[in-house]
Amino acid sequence: MISIRKVMATTAIGAMTLVPLAACSSDDSSSSSSSDTTSAAATSAEATPEPVAEVDDLSNGVSTAVALDPGFTGALTTLGLTPGTIGTATLADGSISFPITGGEVKYWEPGTVDPYVQGEIMHDGSGLSLTAGDTVVELTDFDIDPGTSLLTGTVTVNGDVAAEDAVIFDLDGRTLNPLATGPDNTAILQGTQVKISETAAGLLNDTFKTDAVTPGLLVGVATITIATA
C-alpha cells in the first residue's frame, strides 16, 4: 500500500537509520520531571514530520536494474570471468535486472528529517553468477539497505555457501537523480553507483586466485523502479 502526500521536487537515497523519538519515562515522585519528559516527547514528535511518501509493501515489484560499467565488464574479461544470471534475473543490452520481491520504503522531504529515507528492498530468487572454468561463484538474494548504503546477499562457490548476509556491493547515492514518475504507477530512482565491496573483492580474489579485484570497482549505475499501486 502506498501513500503519497505531495510531489517531491528532489530526493536522494542517503543514510536511512531510523530516527527514534525521545524515550518517554516517568518518575512518580516528581510531577515536574514527568511534565518535562512529556514536553520533551511532544517536542520530539513534532520535530518528526509525516513522510512525503511511503510504500508499505514492495512485493508488487518492480526491479532494480544495473547498467554495467565498461570498466567492470572489461575487468571480467581480463580475469577470464563470464557473467550470467540466476533465477529470475535478466541480462540484456549491457544491463542486469533483479525483480523486487519485498520490503518497504519511506522517505521525507530532504532536509526535514535526518536521515530522510528508510527502508529495505529485497530481491529473493535472483542473482549474478561469475564463471571461470569449473569455478562458479553465485551472488544471490540481494537486500538493499539504503540507510547503510550497503547491498547484502548470499555467496556460493560451486554450490556451497561461502557467506550469508555478506556485504557484496557498496552503494553511492551522491549521483542519484531526482525522483521520477514512471509508467503504470511506478516511481523511479536512477543514478546510484554500485561498487564492489571489500568483502566481495576478498572473496572473489581468494576464489579465482587473483588480486585484481579491487574494492570500490564500479560495477554500474542502478535504476530502482518501484510499483506504487
Side-chain angles (χ1 to χ4, degrees):
M1 176 178 181
I2 181 168
S3 171
I4 300 182
R5 296 178 175 81
K6 64 180 180 179
V7 178
M8 286 178 49
T10 59
T11 188
I13 293 183
M16 286 171 121
T17 307
L18 181 63
V19 179
L21 300 181
C24 181
S25 60
S26 63
D27 183 349
D28 293 338
S29 64
S30 174
S31 60
S32 175
S33 176
S34 176
S35 176
D36 290 344
T37 302
T38 301
S39 177
T43 300
S44 179
E46 291 173 359
T48 306
E50 290 293 319
V52 169
E54 58 184 297
V55 183
D56 298 326
D57 183 1
L58 295 181
S59 60
N60 291 329
V62 182
S63 67
T64 295
V66 180
L68 299 176
D69 185 79
F72 175 69
T73 55
L76 295 184
T77 300
T78 299
L79 293 170
L81 302 180
T82 302
T85 59
I86 299 169
T88 54
T90 58
L91 177 61
D93 301 323
S95 181
I96 189 166
S97 180
F98 311 97
I100 295 173
T101 59
E104 50 83 23
V105 169
K106 182 183 297 183
Y107 54 84
W108 287 258
E109 189 76 36
T112 61
V113 172
D114 183 20
Y116 60 87
V117 186
Q118 303 169 19
E120 177 184 29
I121 306 174
M122 302 166 64
H123 309 77
D124 294 335
S126 66
L128 167 70
S129 65
L130 298 172
T131 303
D134 296 330
T135 302
V136 180
V137 173
E138 296 182 342
L139 312 172
T140 60
D141 301 328
F142 297 148
D143 192 342
I144 295 175
D145 182 350
T148 59
S149 296
L150 300 176
L151 185 153
T152 59
T154 300
V155 181
T156 61
V157 179
N158 293 334
D160 295 326
V161 175
E164 292 183 304
D165 297 322
V167 177
I168 299 174
F169 300 118
D170 295 321
L171 307 176
D172 186 349
R174 291 175 295 178
T175 55
L176 190 68
N177 296 330
L179 179 70
T181 300
D184 302 321
N185 297 313
T186 57
I188 300 172
L189 288 169
Q190 194 274 337
T192 297
Q193 292 186 338
V194 181
K195 301 178 180 181
I196 292 287
S197 72
E198 183 174 0
T199 298
L203 285 169
L204 293 174
N205 283 332
D206 288 344
T207 301
F208 293 111
K209 309 305 180 186
T210 182
D211 59 2
V213 183
T214 58
L217 175 66
L218 178 63
V219 175
V221 176
T223 298
I224 301 175
T225 305
I226 297 172
T228 60

